[in-house]
Amino acid sequence: MDHLRRGPELPCARGPLSAAVRAYLRGTRPLPRPEEAGGAAPYGDDLQLALYLCYELHYRGFAGVAAEREWDPPLLGVRAALEHRFLTALRADATVHGSLDDALGDLLVEPVDGAGVSHHLQDKGELWQVREYAAQRSLYHLKEADPHAWVLPRLWGRAKAAMAAVEFDEFGGGRTERVHARLFAELMRDLGLDTTYGHYLDAATAEVLATVNLMSLLGLHRELRGALVGHFAAVEITSSPGSRRLAEAMRRTGAGPAAEFFYDEHVEADAVHEQVVRHEVIAGLLEEEPQLAADVAFGIDATGHLEDRLGDRLLTAWRAGRSSLRVPLDAETGRLVGEQR
């Protein structure tokens, strides 16, 4: 039964859907009815955590949960209902651009008066805010390239070769010490944060869960492969300038050399990746499947929509002098308040 002890602990529930899914994974009660997902807030804590619980079974799973739950038919039925609610909301709320050219064009333009999270942290962010940002983002960065890798079997030709090349860089170019998820763990260590995979799940907001869930949603469904490429493009094209600002924030706040290096690394690497993604991954995909252009644009729009929601959540809390986390970090130690040593 050793396999049941691996993986992070199950998080606390945040509502009836996540409570029922959590209990089902522990074998203590039935699943919610799939139709119950239809009445849940699509970006809210309850639905997003329930969906995260389902998706995490495809990554490292949870301690005490049997590996067989990954493909449990009743659980997949509930997951499909949760996904439908989330995806329907995204298609209604996030679709902004009428064409892929317009979507890519906007990504390539840096706002003169940028006011996002990276601008805030660069100009006036405090060390406690940098710590919070890293804790929230750890749910993504400790699995950074994994969801995008699912698209590789669904591509061919130029798109597959270019996507594999970028992913190879994300996984450290074959060197363990250069894997980007490991570099982020070293950034967290500089900041006095716990580097255990999934450690900050209970503290993370619904907005963060949604950004991670989007990658899993797009990666796990072959029909959404175009949107996954759009998501990948949005991440890579915007990464280099954002990372430059975050690297400066790490230096200004004294976050530490590993924290600085993580973002410095992304400034250089993602400037190259941006070109490869646009000219080889997207162009190669549309050369083979031109009908996916609208899906690529949707992936870009959905990514921007959820990132904007997250940015609003973080900046609203910080400007009010409040923690953005559901469980705040101790200003002295960097530990979650109430966490035992």
Side-chain angles (χ1 to χ4, degrees):
M1 299 294 285
D2 180 64
H3 67 288
L4 293 180
R5 292 194 291 271
R6 296 174 184 164
E9 296 295 325
L10 281 165
C12 297
R14 303 187 190 182
L17 287 171
S18 54
V21 171
R22 182 183 188 276
Y24 183 76
L25 294 178
R26 298 182 66 188
T28 59
R29 61 178 277 193
L31 283 165
R33 299 188 311 276
E35 55 267 27
E36 292 177 42
Y43 310 120
D45 277 296
D46 193 26
L47 184 142
Q48 290 300 324
L49 180 59
L51 197 49
Y52 190 96
L53 292 174
C54 294
Y55 286 148
E56 193 57 35
L57 301 176
H58 298 289
Y59 296 101
R60 301 194 193 183
F62 293 100
V65 177
E68 291 81 4
R69 287 296 193 199
E70 179 181 7
W71 299 110
D72 180 87
L75 185 60
L76 291 176
V78 171
R79 193 190 89 185
L82 297 169
E83 289 176 328
H84 178 74
R85 178 69 171 143
F86 184 32
L87 187 57
T88 300
L90 284 172
R91 291 201 184 279
D93 300 337
T95 302
V96 175
H97 295 97
S99 73
L100 176 56
D101 286 344
D102 289 344
L104 286 171
D106 281 352
L107 278 183
L108 291 166
V109 176
E110 271 278 287
V112 176
D113 56 347
V117 171
S118 63
H119 293 87
H120 171 86
L121 292 176
Q122 173 190 249
D123 297 338
K124 54 187 174 183
E126 299 178 36
L127 186 58
W128 67 272
Q129 295 169 344
V130 169
R131 280 198 183 109
E132 286 198 354
Y133 183 74
Q136 297 257 30
R137 285 295 196 187
S138 68
L139 297 188
Y140 160 57
H141 280 302
L142 292 182
K143 62 160 65 80
E144 182 168 344
D146 296 347
H148 295 133
W150 279 324
V151 83
L152 285 170
R154 293 147 186 184
L155 303 176
W156 60 92
R158 287 171 60 199
K160 181 192 282 283
M163 187 77 184
V166 176
E167 285 286 271
F168 184 64
D169 284 349
E170 299 288 344
F171 288 121
R175 297 166 57 190
T176 302
E177 71 277 8
R178 299 284 294 190
V179 172
H180 284 189
R182 178 165 178 170
L183 295 180
F184 192 79
E186 292 169 358
L187 171 151
M188 295 176 70
R189 192 172 291 111
D190 263 4
L191 291 168
L193 297 173
D194 193 308
T195 64
T196 305
Y197 181 88
H199 181 79
Y200 293 100
L201 179 52
D202 274 325
T205 64
E207 291 81 3
V208 165
L209 297 184
T211 65
V212 181
N213 284 340
L214 176 66
M215 294 188 297
S216 300
L217 168 65
L218 301 180
L220 284 166
H221 292 273
R222 188 176 66 84
E223 66 175 334
L224 297 174
R225 62 194 178 280
L228 190 281
V229 168
H231 179 280
F232 192 62
V235 171
E236 296 297 327
I237 290 172
T238 60
S239 176
S240 186
S243 293
R244 185 176 290 106
R245 290 188 288 271
L246 289 169
E248 180 56 33
M250 298 301 140
R251 278 186 277 274
R252 191 179 59 77
T253 59
E260 295 173 21
F261 180 78
F262 177 82
Y263 287 110
D264 283 335
E265 168 77 3
H266 279 70
V267 171
E268 181 178 345
D270 291 343
V272 176
H273 293 171
E274 176 256 311
Q275 297 289 320
V276 175
V277 171
R278 283 198 297 127
H279 298 299
E280 297 298 325
V281 179
I282 293 178
L285 173 69
L286 298 184
E287 185 176 78
E288 301 286 351
E289 300 184 278
Q291 76 279 7
L292 294 182
D295 288 348
V296 178
F298 169 68
I300 291 171
D301 284 347
T303 303
H305 178 70
L306 294 180
E307 288 294 332
D308 287 347
R309 287 178 56 85
L310 173 59
D312 288 345
R313 172 66 181 256
L314 296 176
L315 293 176
T316 297
W318 292 343
R319 287 166 180 163
R322 294 184 286 102
S323 173
S324 66
L325 295 164
R326 298 179 76 251
V327 181
L329 295 170
D330 184 279
E332 296 294 327
T333 67
R335 293 177 179 272
L336 294 170
V337 172
E339 184 180 3
Q340 299 297 314
R341 287 186 177 274

